[in-house]
């Protein structure tokens, strides 16, 4: 610079002046450990290389311009463990912030958070009236807050001060439209504190705050009228109140609201910040307060109500909860204070909770001064870049070693002061520091040419040959207006030629530790923001942080994205010098890549929590560079292999086609080996949100697919040409099937890296082999039929394969052939529901025809050998060849039952139905497959059943001869053992020779024949002992057929025939007495309404009497009872005489007649000419065994019509079980028992097993004969009624019975 030329600033003068002001004038009280302001200003001069003349002028001009006022920024984050003020045990807290003068001549209260203010040194006149010591007075002046100018920001942690952009709306209005006013009209909760803040009844004055509440009295107001009183006291509108919102029903409120309070620098030593917490209450009555008591907090609620009664029940006041007093001198300058403060309450030794606050001083914007937030951040970025460049160059110049990224304490102090005074958030500072550090690295690195087109695509810069792409996430305000331009990041070192392709080792100008520490600082600040509050629940995610504030960190993130992109592009320039990235060779190649390209630093930068997502410009840039490198390595490897393969041109000869298919198979096989997922490579690239094997698979798919399709096209032409020559088709099918298996294997390997089916064309390989599939199945069918014929021709002697195996070689060969076909199909695993179902149908049909062919040829061989000829004179003998042949047929047939599982019918038809969106299509396909196997199995079983029936019939003829003697044995003869011996001998032979699945079918046929023989030979009407013996024989046979060796299942033993036979034997084995008990028990339990209504009879029955109710014992020592019966009356009896009336009486007897040694029959008196007789007669039955009562004995009531000259007419009968008799107390009689109305019935002829057995025994059993005669007379001799009543419904029947019961009670 010449002598005449005036010195100039290298930076904008406004920017430099703001930095000097920061150094000279700190906000608040200066700490003891800070540097001298002139020293800080000199440090700034040195960094910016400002001439002394200019610096001295600015210093002299700004030294006396200290700010008179600035702002105290208070953020009320949350509180915890506040007082319970409402009856429900909770509170509705809100806070009021004020700036007040300290008390004069008075020591601070114990709740004052002060450590440095001496007592009584305030020059102000007057003293403050503390809210907690002086209750509100009715005549206090209603005064808005006057010492501060408030800007309330109900913010989240993301609306922090001076992040880009700042959002500082005014606080919520406290008028009628506020949520507090709306909630006034409800009456859910009410707290009753003694210290209260009064409310005005008018909407406008309801939320005004008194002087007393603000800590100001009239004397202080008078003193404030002089000097700076105009700055401290004045009228303020309702909107400027420093009041938080109300958090309802909580003891741990979370606000996150920010307020700016104006502070006069001259009086900072005399001011203190007061935070007063109130509980917002509703106007409610005492009764409503009691109703709102919470069950979990009744004690606290009642205590609050009692306190409320003392102070007055319906006063419109909020409850005082406590306050926090913080002297401003305790808030250090250039520091963001964040801590928990104790809430104190007057006359309360315990704390009233804690509140979490953030406090710091910021500069106040001058009147008519509009400073954009981006401008402040831009100035701070310039300052940080200059400081980092100065500190880094100084370190390199003095030590010659790489720099660790740490700046001096003086530089850090200037940066911190500037950021705090400008209200720049800590996270914004860390992002700008990181950008400045990376910018220094760019400038001091070796010659470096960034990739302009690549970086331009990430930031949507206009390029001649590249289309602009929209930035992720929609519109980007920073990219449009405030983003750094591309020219700002061009190389700054001299001697660099743009477009140079030379790549050299990076200069060691910066330790990796420096970058990582800067990154970790950003990460830590991000975590601190997202998890700001203790009681707000789970921490917010970064995505939610940006969603709540779309303009958050726009400028800072733009700087970070550009600097990280340039750093990553510089590091990845060396990616071409590392070993090829395909195939995956191991950890050595990855270590070289990570070392040369410094990917550890790149990964650390990309892993910062502050990124919105993984689609930012740095993420996309790194992915694009690495993806391009992987693709180039894969392409080079494939081209090297494909060039060795013969050309696919013209009409190929058989050996040429085979060679091409074999070469392709070898390439596929080699690809299967190199494409298997390597965890080291996969995990390495996942760190950069890349899928290594997805990239490889895409490149393989692109090059291999076209080559494979050309080869298959030539194969299809060849097979159509030579389709009439089986040898050529077999040779080409073998090669194509081998190629298919290699392609399938490769597809499986690629799917492990790329599971999405739509991602690659290679996944549709099954469609390419649909035409070769037809020739594969044709070859399978031809080979299967030839093998079946050869197997039977070679097995003419029907010799066992082995002593353990029960079939011959032919069955083994045929089933092995079927298994080979199934195995080949499973290996093919053809994809595509439609072609797969067609192929499965063909395979199923092929195996079914093979099984049918085998069974038919075996049957033809048996007929030729005379196995079906029947000779009655020759004793039946089971031959080994016959059993082996039967086993062979079954062995082949069983394979058909396994086809649904082996070929996966159900899964394939479901896939088919899903593909066509037609359930009916899948159902029809499944029915076709089932019909094929069912028809084939039936045909094979038809051949097998001929042999089985022959064996069973011959055995059953011999069994029948023994069964006749078993059922009707003679004396001293046991034919059962002879029968079992014969069956055992025959079944043992079959057990040894037949297959397990055939043997049970023959045993089952023998068992059915035995049951039929017993039923046919059994006689009826025999004594019970005859049936006891016969049932014992049946049980012995049952045990025999279920024993080990025969193992006939229980379900096959206890067939319907067995159950019927066993029931018949059980009934015939009972005595006549037991049969009569069963008969009467069943009749008494029948509650169905009879077809004809015959009336009701009312009885009372107990056991015991007035004096003796305990059970007695008879002479034999058995327990017995005395039963007392009272016949009360009858209602609605049928008329049996000509007059339409009857002469009824009731016969009472204990049934069955054989129950007691002496049968007693009792009778009531005759009631003449009535249909509703009333008897009231009592009958006593003594010494009835309890066992007889429990077994079902009944009381029989027979209603008769008395006649002269002719026998009495039978009206009906009733049977009532003895066990239903009521038990009464010692002092009660039968008259105390409840009446039971029983419907009168007439018996009718129905089938009963007991009755039929008694009828058959009546020929030789006297008791049975008497029972039969008596019941037959009751059934047959039933006279018709003469009154001819109208048909009665069930309702009318119940009404008649109810009326009769009512008459009895009366």
């Amino acid at each position: 610079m010449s002598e005449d030329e005036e010195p100039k600033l290298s930076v904008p003068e406004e920017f430099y002046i703001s930095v000097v002001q920061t150094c000279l004038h700190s906000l608040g009280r200066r700490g003891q450990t800070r540097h001298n302001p002139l020293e800080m200003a000199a440090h700034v001069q040195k960094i910016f290389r400002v001439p002394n003349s200019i610096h001295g002028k600015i210093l002299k001009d700004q030294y006396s311009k200290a700010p008179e006022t600035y702002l105290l920024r208070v953020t009320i984050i949350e509180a915890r463990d506040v007082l319970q003020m409402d009856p429900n045990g909770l509170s509705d807290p809100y806070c009021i912030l004020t700036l007040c003068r300290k008390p004069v001549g008075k020591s601070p209260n114990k709740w004052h958070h002060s450590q440095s203010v001496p007592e009584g040194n305030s020059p102000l006149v007057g003293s403050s009236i503390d809210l907690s010591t002086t209750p509100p007075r009715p005549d206090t002046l209603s005064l808005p807050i006057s010492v501060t100018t408030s800007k309330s920001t109900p913010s989240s942690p993301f609306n922090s001060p001076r992040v880009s952009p700042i959002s500082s709306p005014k606080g919520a209005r406290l008028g009628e439209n506020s949520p507090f006013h709306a909630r006034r009209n409800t009456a859910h909760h009410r707290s009753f504190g003694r210290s209260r803040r009064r409310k005005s009844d008018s909407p406008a004055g309801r939320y005004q705050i008194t002087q007393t509440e603000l800590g100001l009295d009239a004397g202080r107001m008078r003193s404030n009228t002089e000097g700076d009183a105009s700055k401290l006291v004045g009228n303020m509108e309702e909107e400027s109140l420093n009041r938080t919102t109300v958090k309802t029903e909580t003891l741990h409120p979370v606000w996150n609201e920010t307020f700016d309070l104006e502070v006069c620098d001259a009086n900072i030593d005399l001011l203190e910040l007061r935070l007063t917490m109130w509980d917002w209450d509703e106007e409610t009555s005492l009764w409503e307060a009691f109703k709102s008591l919470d069950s979990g907090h009744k004690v606290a609620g009642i205590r609050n109500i009692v306190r409320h009664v003392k102070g007055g029940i319906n006063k419109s006041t909020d409850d005082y909860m406590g306050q926090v007093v913080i002297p401003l001198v305790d808030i250090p300058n250039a520091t963001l204070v964040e801590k928990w403060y104790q809430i104190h309450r007057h006359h309360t030794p315990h704390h009233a909770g804690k509140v979490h606050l953030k406090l710091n001083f910021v500069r106040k914007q001058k009147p008519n001064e509009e400073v954009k937030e981006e401008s402040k951040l831009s100035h701070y970025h310039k300052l940080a870049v200059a400081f980092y460049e100065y500190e880094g160059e100084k370190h390199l110049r003095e030590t010659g070693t790489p720099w660790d990224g740490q700046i001096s304490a003086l530089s850090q102090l200037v940066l911190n002061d500037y950021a705090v005074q400008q209200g720049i958030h800590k996270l914004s500072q860390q992002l700008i520091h990181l950008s400045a550090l990376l910018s220094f690295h760019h400038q001091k690195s070796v010659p470096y040419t960034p990739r302009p087109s690549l970086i331009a695509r990430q930031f949507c810069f206009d390029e001649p040959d590249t289309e602009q792409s929209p930035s992720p996430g929609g519109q980007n305000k920073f990219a449009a207006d405030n983003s750094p331009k591309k020219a700002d990041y061009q190389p700054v070192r001299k001697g660099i030629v743009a477009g140079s392709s030379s790549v050299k080792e990076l200069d060691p100008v910066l330790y990796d530790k420096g970058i990582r520490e800067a990154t970790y600082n950003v990460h830590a600040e991000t975590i601190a923001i997202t998890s700001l509050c203790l009681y707000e629940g789970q921490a917010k995610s970064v995505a939610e942080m940006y969603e709540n504030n779309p303009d958050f960190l726009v400028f800072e993130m733009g700087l970070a994205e550009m600097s990280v992109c340039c750093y990553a592009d510089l590091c990845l320039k060396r990616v071409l010098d590392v070993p090829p990235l395909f195939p995956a060779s191991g950890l050595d190649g990855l270590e070289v890549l990570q070392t040369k390209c410094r990917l550890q630093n790149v990964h650390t930068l990309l892993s910062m929590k502050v990124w919105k997502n993984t689609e930012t410009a740095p993420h996309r840039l790194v992915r694009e560079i690495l993806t391009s490198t992987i693709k180039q390595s894969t392409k080079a490897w494939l081209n090297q292999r494909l060039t060795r393969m013969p050309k696919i041109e013209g009409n190929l000869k058989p050996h040429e086609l085979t060679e091409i298919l074999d070469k392709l198979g070898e390439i596929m096989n080699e690809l299967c080996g190199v494409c298997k997922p390597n965890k080291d490579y996969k995990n390495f690239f996942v760190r950069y949100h890349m899928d290594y094997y997805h990239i490889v698979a895409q490149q393989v798919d692109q090059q291999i697919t076209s080559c494979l399709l050309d080869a298959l096209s030539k194969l299809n032409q060849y097979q159509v040409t030579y389709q009439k020559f089986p040898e050529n088709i077999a040779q080409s099918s073998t090669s194509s099937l081998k190629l298919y298996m290699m392609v399938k294997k490769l597809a499986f390997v690629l799917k492990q890296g790329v599971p999405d089916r739509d991602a690659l064309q290679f996944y549709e390989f099954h469609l390419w082999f649909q035409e070769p599939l037809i020739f594969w199945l044709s070859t399978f069918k031809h080979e299967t039929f030839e093998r079946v014929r050869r197997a039977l021709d070679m097995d003419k002697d029907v010799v066992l394969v082995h002593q353990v195996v029960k079939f011959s070689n032919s069955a083994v060969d045929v089933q092995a052939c079927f298994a080979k076909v199934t195995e080949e199909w499973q290996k093919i695993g053809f994809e595509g529901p439609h072609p797969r179902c067609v192929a499965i149908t063909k395979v199923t049909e092929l195996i079914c025809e093979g099984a049918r062919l085998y069974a038919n040829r075996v049957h033809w061989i048996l007929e030729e050998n005379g196995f079906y000829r029947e000779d009655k004179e020759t004793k039946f003998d089971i031959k080994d060849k016959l059993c082996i042949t039967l086993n062979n047929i079954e062995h082949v047939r069983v394979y058909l039952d396994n086809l649904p599982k082996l070929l996966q019918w159900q899964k394939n038809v479901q896939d088919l139905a899903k593909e066509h969106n037609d359930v009916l299509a899948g159902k029809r396909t499944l029915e076709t497959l089932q019909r094929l196997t069912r028809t084939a199995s039936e045909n094979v079983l038809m051949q097998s059943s001929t042999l089985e029936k022959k064996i069973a019939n011959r055995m059953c003829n011999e069994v029948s001869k023994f069964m006749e003697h078993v059922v009707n044995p003679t004396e001293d003869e046991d034919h059962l053992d002879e029968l079992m011996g014969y069956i055992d001998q025959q079944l043992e032979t079959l057990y040894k020779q037949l297959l397990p699945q055939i043997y049970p079918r023959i045993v089952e046929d023998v068992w059915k024949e035995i049951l039929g023989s017993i039923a046919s030979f059994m006689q009826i009407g025999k004594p019970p002992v005859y049936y006891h013996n016969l049932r014992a024989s049946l049980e012995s046979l049952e045990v025999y057929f279920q024993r080990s060796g025969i193992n006939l299942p229980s379900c096959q033993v206890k067939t319907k025939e067995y159950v019927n036979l066993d029931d018949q034997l059980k009934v015939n084995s009972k005595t006549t007495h037991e049969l009569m008990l069963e008969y009467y028990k069943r009749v008494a339990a029948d509650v169905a309404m009879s077809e004809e209504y015959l009336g009701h009879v009312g009885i009372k029955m107990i056991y015991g009497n007035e004096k003796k109710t305990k059970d007695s014992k008879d002479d034999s020592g058995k327990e017995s009872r005395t039963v007392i019966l009272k016949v009360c009356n009858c209602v609605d009896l049928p008329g049996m005489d000509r007059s339409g009336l009857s002469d009824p009486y009731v016969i009472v007897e204990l049934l069955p007649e054989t129950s007691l040694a002496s049968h007693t029959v009792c009778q009531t008196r005759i009631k003449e000419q009535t249909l509703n007789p009333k008897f009231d007669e009592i009958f006593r039955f003594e010494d009835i065994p309890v066992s007889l009562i429990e077994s079902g004995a009944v009381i029989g009531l027979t209603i008769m019509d008395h006649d002269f000259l002719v026998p009495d007419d039978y009206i009906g009968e009733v049977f009532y079980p003895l066990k239903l008799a009521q038990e009464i107390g010692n002092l009660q009689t039968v008259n105390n028992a409840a009446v039971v109305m029983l419907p009168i019935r007439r018996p009718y002829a129905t089938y009963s097993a007991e009755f039929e057995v008694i009828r058959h025994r009546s020929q030789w059993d006297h008791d049975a004969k008497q029972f039969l005669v008596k019941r037959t007379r009751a059934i047959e001799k039933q006279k018709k009624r003469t009154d001819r009543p109208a048909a009665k419904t069930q309702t009318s029947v119940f009404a008649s019975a109810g009326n009769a019961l009512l008459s009895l009670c009366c």
Side-chain angles (χ1 to χ4, degrees), residues 1041-1108:
F1041 274 87
Q1042 288 184 323
R1043 71 180 177 86
S1044 177
I1046 299 179
N1047 297 327
L1048 191 63
S1050 178
C1051 60
Q1052 296 180 4
V1053 171
K1054 297 182 179 181
T1055 59
K1056 183 178 180 181
E1057 294 80 3
Y1058 173 86
V1059 174
N1060 293 335
L1061 179 60
D1062 186 59
D1063 292 342
Q1064 190 175 359
L1065 292 175
K1066 284 181 181 179
V1067 174
N1068 283 276
S1069 299
K1070 294 181 180 179
T1071 63
T1072 303
H1073 174 70
E1074 292 173 344
L1075 292 173
M1076 287 190 291
L1077 273 175
E1078 291 293 332
Y1079 175 82
Y1080 285 120
K1081 183 178 180 180
R1082 180 178 56 81
V1083 174
D1086 186 9
V1087 296
M1089 295 294 296
S1090 60
E1091 296 180 359
E1092 183 180 10
Y1093 176 64
L1094 301 174
H1096 283 73
V1097 59
I1099 66 170
K1100 297 181 179 181
M1101 187 167 65
I1102 64 171
Y1103 59 89
N1105 53 32
E1106 295 93 341
K1107 297 181 180 180
K1108 185 179 180 181

Side-chain angles (χ1 to χ4, degrees), residues 910-925:
Q910 289 177 355
D911 294 342
L912 179 66
K914 185 177 181 180
E915 181 186 33
H916 294 281
N917 196 20
D918 185 4
V919 179
L920 187 59
K923 185 178 180 181
R924 285 196 298 264
T925 303

Side-chain angles (χ1 to χ4, degrees), residues 235-279:
N235 294 327
M236 188 172 70
E237 298 297 331
E238 180 182 347
E239 293 85 348
S240 64
L241 291 177
N242 298 307
R243 173 175 177 167
T244 65
T245 57
V246 177
K247 300 299 177 180
T248 59
E249 299 183 5
T250 180
L251 299 180
H252 310 294
V254 177
W255 287 288
N256 283 326
E257 299 182 22
T258 302
F259 302 88
D260 287 340
L261 309 179
E262 185 176 346
V263 179
C264 179
D265 185 68
N267 300 319
I268 188 171
D269 294 338
L270 308 176
L271 297 179
E272 59 187 13
L273 173 67
R274 288 195 180 187
L275 183 147
T276 308
M277 187 175 295
W278 299 87
D279 172 57

Side-chain angles (χ1 to χ4, degrees), residues 833-1067:
H834 183 74
R836 189 165 63 242
C837 286
V838 172
I840 289 174
T841 305
K842 294 293 183 182
V843 172
T844 303
E845 184 179 7
L846 182 155
I847 296 175
C848 290
E849 291 181 1
R852 191 183 294 110
L853 175 63
Y854 180 83
N856 290 336
R857 290 186 66 83
V858 169
H859 178 65
W860 177 80
I861 293 173
L862 289 174
E863 285 183 343
E864 291 293 324
N865 294 335
F867 284 117
Y868 294 115
R869 296 173 188 173
E870 184 176 355
D871 189 358
K872 296 181 180 181
E873 297 179 358
T874 305
K875 184 180 179 181
F876 175 72
D877 186 18
I878 299 176
K879 298 180 180 180
D880 292 342
K881 288 186 178 181
L882 186 61
C883 293
I884 295 173
T885 303
L886 192 59
N887 291 340
N888 288 342
I889 298 175
E890 181 64 19
H891 185 66
V892 173
R893 188 203 66 80
V894 166
Y895 196 84
L896 301 179
D897 299 334
N898 298 328
L899 288 179
K901 181 178 179 181
L902 294 174
L903 300 179
Q904 298 180 343
W905 287 1
Q906 193 67 32
K907 179 179 180 301
N908 288 309
V909 298
Q910 289 177 355
D911 294 342
L912 179 66
K914 185 177 181 180
E915 181 186 33
H916 294 281
N917 196 20
D918 185 4
V919 179
L920 187 59
K923 185 178 180 181
R924 285 196 298 264
T925 303
L926 183 60
E927 290 176 352
T928 301
L929 294 170
Q930 292 173 345
R931 185 177 64 253
L932 289 173
T933 54
R934 184 174 59 252
T935 303
S937 182
E938 290 173 355
N939 293 337
V940 174
L941 283 174
M942 187 180 298
Q943 306 298 334
S944 180
S945 63
T946 304
L947 290 176
E948 295 174 10
K949 290 180 180 179
K950 185 67 176 179
I951 296 172
N953 290 338
R954 295 293 296 272
M955 284 188 63
C956 290
N957 291 336
E958 298 294 332
V959 169
S960 298
K961 298 176 183 179
F962 290 97
M963 286 305 304
E964 184 177 1
H965 299 288
V966 171
V967 175
N968 300 307
T970 58
E971 296 180 359
D972 301 331
E973 291 184 4
D974 189 1
H975 298 279
L976 184 61
D977 291 340
E978 297 179 6
L979 173 63
M980 290 184 178
Y982 172 78
I983 295 176
D984 195 50
Q985 180 182 2
Q986 298 299 321
L987 292 182
E988 183 180 1
T989 304
L990 293 174
Y991 181 79
K992 291 180 180 180
Q993 298 297 335
L994 291 179
L995 289 175
Q997 58 266 35
I998 302 177
Y999 175 74
R1001 296 201 292 262
I1002 297 180
V1003 174
E1004 185 179 3
D1005 292 338
V1006 175
W1007 172 249
K1008 290 180 179 179
E1009 183 62 28
I1010 292 175
L1011 294 177
S1013 300
I1014 295 175
S1016 62
F1017 293 130
M1018 184 180 67
Q1019 300 181 18
I1020 60 176
K1022 290 288 185 179
V1025 64
Y1026 170 82
Y1027 300 101
H1028 275 295
N1029 296 334
L1030 189 56
R1031 191 180 180 205
S1033 300
L1034 179 62
E1035 291 176 352
S1036 299
L1037 289 171
E1038 178 185 352
V1039 173
Y1040 172 79
F1041 274 87
Q1042 288 184 323
R1043 71 180 177 86
S1044 177
I1046 299 179
N1047 297 327
L1048 191 63
S1050 178
C1051 60
Q1052 296 180 4
V1053 171
K1054 297 182 179 181
T1055 59
K1056 183 178 180 181
E1057 294 80 3
Y1058 173 86
V1059 174
N1060 293 335
L1061 179 60
D1062 186 59
D1063 292 342
Q1064 190 175 359
L1065 292 175
K1066 284 181 181 179
V1067 174

Side-chain angles (χ1 to χ4, degrees), residues 153 237 275 388 499 550 617 691 712 749 838 868 935 1027 1144 1275 1277:
T153 305
E237 298 297 331
L275 183 147
Y388 274 88
D691 191 339
L712 291 178
V749 172
V838 172
Y868 294 115
T935 303
Y1027 300 101
I1275 294 173
K1277 295 184 178 181

Side-chain angles (χ1 to χ4, degrees), residues 78 254 530-531 533-540:
E78 60 182 328
V254 177
T530 54
S531 55
C533 297
L534 212 69
Y535 293 94
E536 198 174 24
Q538 296 181 353
K540 293 180 174 63

Side-chain angles (χ1 to χ4, degrees), residues 164-371:
S164 59
I166 187 170
S167 177
S168 300
K170 291 188 177 182
R173 293 181 60 88
L174 304 177
E176 296 186 28
N177 295 329
S178 65
F180 326 132
H181 181 76
R183 194 169 170 266
R184 282 284 167 193
N185 299 324
T186 62
H188 292 294
H189 304 287
R190 172 75 179 171
S191 65
F192 310 99
R194 186 167 185 177
S195 297
R196 298 179 178 86
R197 188 174 63 81
R198 296 184 178 277
K199 302 175 184 176
S200 172
D201 293 336
S202 63
R206 176 172 294 180
Y207 297 101
Q208 290 182 345
I209 302 175
T210 63
Q211 294 177 5
T212 305
E213 294 168 345
L214 297 178
L216 304 175
D217 59 2
R220 179 178 299 182
M221 293 298 296
R222 285 191 298 271
S223 64
N224 288 338
T225 56
E226 302 175 0
D228 295 331
S230 60
K231 298 180 181 179
L232 297 174
V233 179
N235 294 327
M236 188 172 70
E237 298 297 331
E238 180 182 347
E239 293 85 348
S240 64
L241 291 177
N242 298 307
R243 173 175 177 167
T244 65
T245 57
V246 177
K247 300 299 177 180
T248 59
E249 299 183 5
T250 180
L251 299 180
H252 310 294
V254 177
W255 287 288
N256 283 326
E257 299 182 22
T258 302
F259 302 88
D260 287 340
L261 309 179
E262 185 176 346
V263 179
C264 179
D265 185 68
N267 300 319
I268 188 171
D269 294 338
L270 308 176
L271 297 179
E272 59 187 13
L273 173 67
R274 288 195 180 187
L275 183 147
T276 308
M277 187 175 295
W278 299 87
D279 172 57
W280 182 75
D281 288 331
E282 301 173 357
E283 299 177 6
T284 183
S285 65
L286 182 61
W287 172 243
E288 291 173 344
F290 273 107
K291 289 194 297 181
S292 66
L293 283 177
D294 187 83
S295 59
H297 304 85
K298 284 188 176 181
V299 176
I302 293 175
R303 184 166 57 247
N304 291 334
I305 291 176
V306 172
R307 185 172 64 247
H308 163 72
V309 172
K310 290 183 178 180
I313 189 64
N314 290 316
K315 293 182 179 180
S316 179
T317 57
D318 287 352
D319 295 332
Y320 170 74
M321 299 177 66
Q323 68 176 351
V324 176
V325 180
I326 305 172
L328 297 192
V329 295
D330 289 352
I331 304 175
N333 65 319
T335 304
L336 176 63
V337 179
E338 180 178 358
K339 61 181 295 186
W340 288 87
Y341 292 91
Q342 295 287 350
I343 303 174
H344 296 273
R345 199 161 181 250
H346 184 57
H347 299 310
T348 302
H350 302 291
H351 297 303
K354 294 181 179 181
V355 63
H356 188 189
L357 302 178
K358 281 185 179 180
L359 308 169
N360 67 298
F361 294 105
V362 297
R363 287 189 176 272
K364 180 181 178 181
Q365 186 174 337
K366 297 179 180 179
N368 301 326
E369 181 183 11
E370 295 184 2
V371 180

